[in-house]
Amino acid sequence: MKWAWLILFVIVCLCAGDRSVQARNTFSYEKYEYSNRGQSVYSRKGTDSRWNLALKDQTITSRYHSWVLTKTGRKSWNLCRLQKGKLKIKWSLSADIALYSGNQLIFVTDQSDGLTFYSAKYNGQGTRAFAYFTRGSHIISYDGKGARVKNAELSGQTADVDFASGRAIRNGSDGALKNPPRMPKKAGMMFNATSNEKGTKSGGQLGKQDPRECRIEKYISKWKKKKFRWRVLYRCKDRRLAELAVQEAAAAVHGGMVGYDNEANRTTLWKVAELSGYDLSALQSPGDGSCITTAMIFYKCAAKRLGIESVANMDCNVRSWTAGKTLMKTGYFEQFTKDQINMHRADNNQIGDIYTADWRDDMGEAYRGHTIMQITDGRKFKRYSSSSAAEE
């Protein structure tokens, strides 16, 4: 009887130990379960009761799919890949604080002039990092998952920033709009502008008089036809810039202040955007643009708010068949021809993509064009690991 009570006591202790392990970051991936146990990481397969050493003298702090961030010392971190019950170290770094979330590693180091933040992505061959916030910043609070930072600075603007998400607590360095618009939930939605309230290309009143002047709609049937003359797609390499540009587009549609004009007033939207601090959710005066100039202005406004000079300073008074040179000159875009990418479906394309079409005469001279801009990722889109031009 005495032995029975002893065995029961041991079982209770083991169960209590398992609960404490789960409380210290236990998760499953594919066929394996991983857990911090003591100062190391252990794994077990399926329903096996035995835990095996996966990585010695390290503990998992954050995870995104098959990637985990482990801490090895007070300022030592490793970015690892989960592989059949083991953790394979891909990159090591030294930092005061680090967080891995949404396929992006964000870390901060203490410099002589304040805190310096970095953002990095693993591109399959190595991790490339670039400065995110700099100078004069200091941490307000840190809870083990993220930090709140006061006076974080990016591109000349300062704000209090939530380190875990990278978003400003008050308007400032991340370029957040004052009145963020409702973003469509459906995949593959497009910004489109084709005519004014009269159904013509010019001669209408400034601003939006008719819902069809500028609108967000699904990828319409005529674009799916192979004879529609899509020629080149331009893709922004900086996801953060593209996300803010499509928010500017949605703000333009929902605000009711942006109309269509393809002649004398085709860049008036830029003039009124300057007066609103490049925030199209806060326009005080109406303005017009064409299908291509609005897309250019969305990116210019986003770049102004993020401090990306090459994009902010590009010329917006272009045509669908000439915009490519302007976009590519910034270093923030890549181009795909109709033979390289399917522009007759939006399923595999992503937010911020600019589709351009043109019609040419017998001499090869363009006389007509059209542009649309993708507002939401396609339903089959898999996020590319392409990095921003600032990383090049």
Side-chain angles (χ1 to χ4, degrees), residues 112-132:
S112 58
D113 59 349
L115 298 175
T116 298
F117 288 76
Y118 294 87
S119 178
K121 285 186 178 181
Y122 187 80
N123 63 5
Q125 298 176 344
T127 306
R128 297 184 296 178
F130 58 96
Y132 199 43

Side-chain angles (χ1 to χ4, degrees), residues 16-26 34-38 51:
D18 283 342
R19 282 196 296 270
S20 66
V21 166
Q22 291 182 359
R24 296 194 60 212
N25 203 347
T26 296
Y34 298 85
S35 177
N36 291 333
R37 304 191 77 180
W51 289 89

Side-chain angles (χ1 to χ4, degrees), residues 322-364:
T322 64
K325 291 182 180 179
T326 302
L327 291 168
M328 296 302 293
K329 189 177 178 180
T330 66
Y332 275 79
F333 291 85
E334 53 190 340
Q335 66 178 19
F336 300 90
T337 65
K338 60 182 181 181
D339 298 322
Q340 295 174 307
I341 198 166
N342 186 4
M343 287 182 274
H344 294 283
R345 297 188 68 86
D347 290 349
N348 296 313
N349 298 329
Q350 68 182 72
I351 63 168
D353 282 356
I354 297 175
Y355 299 60
T356 60
D358 61 61
W359 286 256
R360 297 174 181 265
D361 58 24
D362 294 338
M363 300 296 293

Side-chain angles (χ1 to χ4, degrees), residues 99 106 117 132-133 140-143 145-152 159-170 173-174:
L99 176 73
I106 306 173
F117 288 76
Y132 199 43
F133 301 114
I140 302 172
S141 62
Y142 176 62
D143 61 6
K145 296 180 180 179
R148 288 201 165 196
V149 178
K150 190 170 183 62
N151 295 330
D160 298 344
V161 173
D162 180 4
F163 170 59
S165 66
R167 294 294 180 185
I169 302 167
R170 61 179 174 82
S173 65
D174 72 337

Side-chain angles (χ1 to χ4, degrees), residues 234-344:
Y234 298 95
R235 174 165 293 160
C236 181
K237 295 188 286 185
D238 188 325
R239 179 80 181 185
R240 184 169 48 107
L241 175 61
E243 287 174 346
L244 187 54
V246 299
Q247 287 183 40
E248 295 276 14
V253 171
H254 297 309
M257 301 289 281
V258 180
Y260 179 90
D261 189 276
N262 196 30
E263 296 300 336
N265 293 325
R266 66 196 311 265
T267 60
T268 53
L269 174 58
W270 176 243
K271 295 177 182 177
V272 297
E274 290 180 300
L275 299 176
S276 69
Y278 311 103
D279 183 347
L280 299 186
S281 72
L283 289 178
Q284 300 298 315
S285 303
D288 283 351
S290 68
C291 58
I292 181 60
T293 60
T294 49
M296 302 291 279
I297 290 168
F298 299 151
Y299 269 110
K300 280 173 66 69
C301 287
K304 275 287 188 181
R305 298 182 67 77
L306 294 173
I308 302 173
E309 292 187 6
S310 62
V311 180
N313 295 331
M314 66 182 180
D315 184 12
C316 62
N317 193 12
V318 293
R319 299 288 177 177
S320 295
W321 56 90
T322 64
K325 291 182 180 179
T326 302
L327 291 168
M328 296 302 293
K329 189 177 178 180
T330 66
Y332 275 79
F333 291 85
E334 53 190 340
Q335 66 178 19
F336 300 90
T337 65
K338 60 182 181 181
D339 298 322
Q340 295 174 307
I341 198 166
N342 186 4
M343 287 182 274
H344 294 283

Side-chain angles (χ1 to χ4, degrees), residues 59-71:
T59 55
I60 295 173
T61 60
S62 54
R63 166 179 169 256
Y64 181 77
H65 295 310
S66 62
W67 293 91
V68 295
L69 183 69
T70 63
K71 190 171 185 179

